[in-house]
Amino acid sequence: MPVSSTPAAGAPRAGADPLVTETLKTLARTVRSFQLYLPNNPMYVRALDSARAALVSLWGRFDSIEFGITETEFTHEDVPVLVESDRGGESLPWVFYKDGIRSFEIRKGFETRELARFLGALKTVRAQAGGDEDLVTLFWECDFEHLSYTYEEAGGDGFAAPGAELLRGGARPGSIDAPADNETDAGTYGAGASQFAKISDFDSTLYFLEEQEIAYLHQSVREDFGGDLRPSVIAALLDTFEAQSDPTVREEICGILENLLLLLLSGLQFRTAGYLIRECAAATSRAENVLPSHSQRLGELAEKVSDPATLNQLLDALEDAQLKSPQPDLVSMFTQLKPNALKPLVSHLVRSRNLELRAILEEAVTRLASANTVELMALIGSDDEAVSLEAMRRAGEVRSPAAVAPLSKSLDAASEISRAAAVAALAQIGSPGAMQALERGLEDSDRDIRLFVVNACAERQYRPVLARLERAIKDRLVRGGSSQEKTAFFDAYASLGGDGAVPLLESILVPRGLLARKEEPMTRASAAMALGKLGSERALEALRKALGDKDIVVRSAATRAMRGGE
Amino acid sequence: MTATTMDGDERQETANARRTGRALIVAIHSATRAIKLYPPEHQAVQKALGDLSAAALESKSVDADLELRVHGEFIFVNGTRLRLDLSNYASFGRVLELFRSAGVGAVRVVHDATPREWFALLTLLATVGATPDGDADELARRLHAAGVEAFETSAHADEEVEIEEREAAKAAARRTYAQSVALTKDVINSVRMGRVPSARKIKRAVQTIVDEVLTEEGSLIGLTTLREYDEYTYTHSVNVCIFAVALGKRIGMTKLQLYELGVAALMHDIGKSRVPTDLLQKSTALEDDEWRRITAHPWLGMLTLFQLRGQQELPYRAMIVAHEHHMRRDFTGYPQVIRQRTIAMTSKIVAVADAYDAATSRRSYQTKPYPPSAVLQEMRDNPRRGLDPVVVKAFITLLGIYPSGTLVVLDTFELAVVLGANTNAEMLSRPRVVVVSDGRGNLLQPPIETDLASTGPDGQFARTIIKTADPDRYGIRVSDYII
């Protein structure tokens, strides 16, 4: 802050009270900190605390203190106590002086609640470049109880006229001017009227307000000042849009609504933003003779919010926000999003660590995904694996047959995770096309994927897979696998093939002929168990043949299978 | 440098003082009424006096002292000014009247008063008040004679000081009014010329009006009787702002709520700046298309307010009020309502203030304004006006049955101009007036200010209104007597 050289910056002149000077210097430093730092910054908090402490020390000697203001100085008892010679935005005396304030008095108690408001007003007025706020107006809005000030009414240019009458603002000690916020107390005229006084005129009780009437007034005021006014304004704008066919008027309203939407989004007013978008759609569909350009402008509002660039900013802001469930505002706005919002939403959903936001995004993505399969399918092929996986999961959830082609393509992916997600989604979809695509998974290089597919086919009783299963068994593709895989394939084969499956399983369990290859005991035991699960007469007959087998594993498996797998 | 009267974190203490103070005033009023209606030994009187003693004790427990003081239109309990609102205005007015008529400015309770002592005080206050030469000294003498030592009384504040204060308040009100009219003119003309009006100026004007209304509403309300024909467009907005803020205060709105209401009221007709002036001033019947253009001003106002410069936040409340102030309760007014909405209380207040000021003003198509009392009666009795009846009722309690500026004929055949409503809510039909001519029609120089609630030695009212009259017929400019 530029200061004069004589006297030295902030230095008390002869006669200046050092305590007062020091307090004012601390206050000036706090004003700067308030300007520079955000409330969560330790510097900000420290500055506020030091200003409070300085004021408290002042109250050890004074009950109140008054400062005079010149263009470059704050004075106390006519002695300069803070001198800043530059008449720029940085000079504290000038900030007061230019808005007409000529003195201010602070009183004990100012430091508790009003200091922050005072600093906030100074910040607002200093931050604006050629703006339309002034300190007198802002101080009035602060409704101080422990600060009063004198000021000269500013002229047309915003500057106080020299020598103008001094007015007083702020609370006067001991006066109660208005209720505190926390108080609750809170045809043609005369056509048939005679000019003569009537008896009823003298019955004042006619005009006494009943208790319930007073309660109604108080309640209405509370509702008026407690609610959000924006929806009412939006409703009025759109009523006007519908009722007034003049294109100039509609043009003006379109512009207002576009700006309003941005304001709502930047102010995190999501419910109202959602209402605006929804009602714009209703207005364009109901209103008569709407120009295509107007219809398009209003329709584009939802597109604008859904635009990835816009939506990503919003989602980033929400990620850092402390959200508390439920969030009807956000949900309301998200229900208005267009299909192009799906990608940023999914992309954010898979990375979000904000549990409340995740829950809201989950709902929004489900809604959009079920209504916009084309966009969802496109996401399956996304380069971003996390997005692709989420899209596959969603495709399965919504059982969209349209997803079969991209999912089928994903079966060729290098990533096992992607292939696993694809088979899971295909199994969930379960359409003939999906199952046909799923069959390919039986030959996947990953054992878990093969297992999942064979189980899914059995579960869904998908018989067309029998030929592929039989081939897999005959070609001994399975036999080299784990016992779990063998069991799964044999079980599925038996379950889908019925008695038709007995010959192949019997040939594995009880090889015929001297040259016939005898399978490993575990493979034969798996065949026995599959026959046992089939449980038909033919299957039992095949099992009986193995009851006397030399291999104890096979014999034991056949015995258990005969008893139903016990 | 002086010590202040408030110290520490005293907000809660002040609220307590106000609460107990209000309870005390209500208890005094109840006891006075009971004494008037029943003999002293009656159960109702005893109960009321018991309640009064308890209320006094509670007030003393908050401040360790108890002094009731009346000054101007206000009551102070232990230096705290009590706020008048709808739930207590009747009691306030009666107690003010009780003190005033007895010439008593303050009563200090020096020790805990018994119900018997309170009975003596209230009875003697009423008796002394009805005595022509009764004053605080007389009351003190009679209290002493009755053996009542619990109270010390002092005289009403110096009349000259009060007159000076009243004149100063009037001067401040005139300045506020003139500045507000100039500001409104500037805003409307700015919009007409396609410029963006300054929000700061609007804020300052309304802040000043709110300050004035909170300090001394009577002076500003008196100024609304000016109703200059040439300046109607501008004075109307200022008048509506004054009426709305005063009504909001009476309803119990906070200072910042009054501020928002005031901005909305001042700007309620801003849409007219987008309607051709010749149409607004047309004195003959309007064609359909012209009527359509006039009735566009509410929504035009809302659109215009989106342009207001320098707002940290858009003036949504003002937009709603501009849009709704011609809507009737059943939505048969204008503009057309398509989406479900609830008319805001602020809009209802402005609608009442607007209707009243418009009907009582001289305009291009209304060369003869309607008498204020007839307008209030119509607003009260005709549901087709679509005004909220409770708000209208509250408005009547604010202005009185015969509002400021009404010319009345008294039963003495004198002509009088109403200055303002009586502070005693039971005397709404007996306003403060200035008698401008004697019973034979001779103009009085100077005119005589009097309170129609005052009684003669016989206990009868000295003067009573028998009818209202047309000021033009008598060549009287009512504002000359008020301002």
Side-chain angles (χ1 to χ4, degrees), chain A residues 376-425:
Chain A
L376 184 64
M377 300 318 115
L379 291 186
I380 291 174
S382 169
D383 292 338
D384 185 334
E385 189 180 47
V387 171
S388 170
L389 290 176
E390 184 65 21
M392 284 194 262
R393 189 173 74 80
R394 298 278 162 184
E397 274 178 9
V398 298
R399 293 186 164 79
S400 168
V404 173
L407 286 171
S408 181
K409 204 173 165 190
S410 296
L411 289 177
D412 299 327
S415 157
E416 285 161 8
I417 299 173
S418 287
R419 297 201 310 276
V423 295

Side-chain angles (χ1 to χ4, degrees), chain B residues 356-369:
Chain B
Y356 174 78
D357 189 70
T360 53
S361 298
R362 195 185 306 276
R363 292 176 283 170
S364 52
Y365 49 92
Q366 181 177 278
T367 52
K368 197 170 163 52

Side-chain angles (χ1 to χ4, degrees), chain A residues 148-170:
Chain A
S148 52
Y149 46 94
T150 59
Y151 64 96
E152 291 170 356
E153 195 59 82
D157 54 359
F159 288 83
E165 183 188 357
L166 271 187
L167 303 168
R168 180 166 279 276

Side-chain angles (χ1 to χ4, degrees), chain A residues 487 490-491 494 505 509 522-535 539 543 553-554 556-566:
Chain A
T487 304
F490 290 169
D491 284 357
L505 292 172
L509 176 64
M522 283 309 298
T523 305
R524 295 173 63 206
S526 295
M529 295 308 292
L531 286 165
K533 280 179 189 161
L534 185 57
L543 283 170
V553 174
V554 175
S556 168
T559 307
R560 273 189 290 136
M562 286 290 287
R563 290 202 298 262
E566 288 171 15

Side-chain angles (χ1 to χ4, degrees), chain A residues 207-228:
Chain A
Y207 304 96
F208 283 5
L209 286 153
E210 307 289 339
E211 284 296 319
Q212 68 267 26
E213 290 175 327
I214 294 171
Y216 157 74
L217 291 171
H218 287 169
Q219 177 63 22
S220 301
V221 170
R222 268 198 298 276
E223 284 170 5
D224 246 27
F225 286 89
D228 183 7

